[in-house]
Every structure is written in structure tokens, then in C-alpha cells.
Amino acid sequence: MKALVIYNSQTGFTQKYAEWITQGLKEKGNDTECLPLKKAAKKQLLNYDCIVFGSWCMAGSLVKIEWFAQKLPALKDKKTAIFACGATPVQAPEVKQFMESKLSSGVFAQTKAFYCQGGLNYNKMKLGSRMAMKALAKILSNKSGATAQEKEMAARISRNYDITEKQYADCIVEYLTR
């Protein structure tokens, strides 16, 4: 199988998953390329049997998903997958809601969507993103009557952390190679 793993990463977590997926596909004997979106946009996707698109979550959306959504109708005979990489732990209820509302209907119904928990790296964030996250952390930590979930979120997003786990990439590889 000839595969292409495309990623859009701001702080490195999505890229890490893309590289794990690529490694896993190669280990199973597949001819696999891994490219950032800017380089992959120049590729002829129809030349691949399998195309994976991964990007990072921001404010309830998947950054640059529109690019892949435009390509999907032409890829209906290809094996495709999408992975969303976010700072929220996979077991959080909002992850399931996001995946069901954003990545399971319409044009996305033809592909399989996965969520990969990532983390936060303020040192690699663009200024606007960094300021928004710090403001959210401050609002949540100063909120009177904050729920336990809000307090936990405020504590989590107030610092850098990495909760990536290769097992999420392995699930994508398993799906693609069955």
C-alpha cells in the first residue's frame, strides 16, 4: 500500500503522531511518506492508496480541516483517516462531543476519525494562541463557583505538558492496515 500522512502542527504534538503513524505503516511493509500540509498540498493525492490527515484542535474546531474536506469527495475509493490532536485528555466528555459533531457527518462520513491527546507547549505557540490560553487559564482559576472539572482544566492549561501516547497512533495504523 502506498500511503501519505499529512499533518498540520503548531507545537509539535500532531507532528509526533504523524511520525508514529508513518513509522507504524512502514513497519507493516507500506511505502509511506509523511509531510507537513504545506508540502503535501502540492502532491497528487490520487497517487496514494491511503491518505491520513492530522491537525490540531483550537476552540472546538480542527485547524485546516477544510482543505482535507475539499479533497475527500475525490478520494472516495481510497482508505482515508483523520486525526485530531488536542490538549484535552481523551476521556473528557467534550472530546466525544467534538468528534461526533465535527468529524462524523457530511463529507467526513466516508472516513474514520480519531482523537489523539497531545498537550500544550507555550514556548512553541504563536503569540495569539499563547495569550488566549493564558487568559482562559486565568478566567477559570478566578471563577467563583468553578466546577471541579473547570478547576482541573485551569490547573492543567496553566503550564506546559505532554500527554501524547503512541497507543493512539497504533489504533490508526491498525485501522489503516486491516
Side-chain angles (χ1 to χ4, degrees), residues 36-156:
L37 177 58
K38 286 183 181 181
K39 290 184 179 180
K42 299 173 187 167
K43 291 284 188 175
Q44 178 52 260
L45 300 184
L46 294 175
N47 292 337
Y48 296 88
D49 305 304
C50 171
I51 300 98
V52 180
F53 176 80
S55 191
W56 53 286
C57 300
M58 179 179 73
S61 67
L62 191 58
V63 177
K64 301 289 184 185
I65 190 62
E66 300 82 15
W67 177 86
F68 195 61
Q70 291 174 352
K71 307 292 183 196
L72 271 174
L75 303 174
K76 64 180 183 264
D77 297 328
K78 308 291 182 176
K79 189 133 194 184
T80 57
I82 297 169
F83 70 94
C85 188
T88 303
V90 74
Q91 68 274 13
E94 57 266 28
V95 169
K96 182 178 180 187
Q97 180 183 12
F98 166 77
M99 296 300 288
E100 289 175 352
S101 68
K102 302 288 184 184
L103 298 177
S104 65
S105 61
V107 71
F108 301 116
Q110 81 179 55
T111 191
K112 177 91 169 141
F114 297 86
Y115 181 80
C116 301
Q117 60 187 29
L120 287 176
N121 185 335
Y122 285 104
N123 303 328
K124 292 185 178 180
M125 276 185 189
K126 292 181 181 174
L127 180 61
S129 296
R130 186 171 51 241
M131 289 174 59
M133 290 303 296
K134 291 289 188 178
L136 177 60
K138 188 170 186 156
I139 288 167
L140 288 173
S141 46
N142 292 335
K143 183 179 178 182
S144 64
T147 66
Q149 184 180 1
E150 289 169 328
K151 290 176 185 177
E152 188 272 327
M153 182 182 195
R156 184 177 66 243

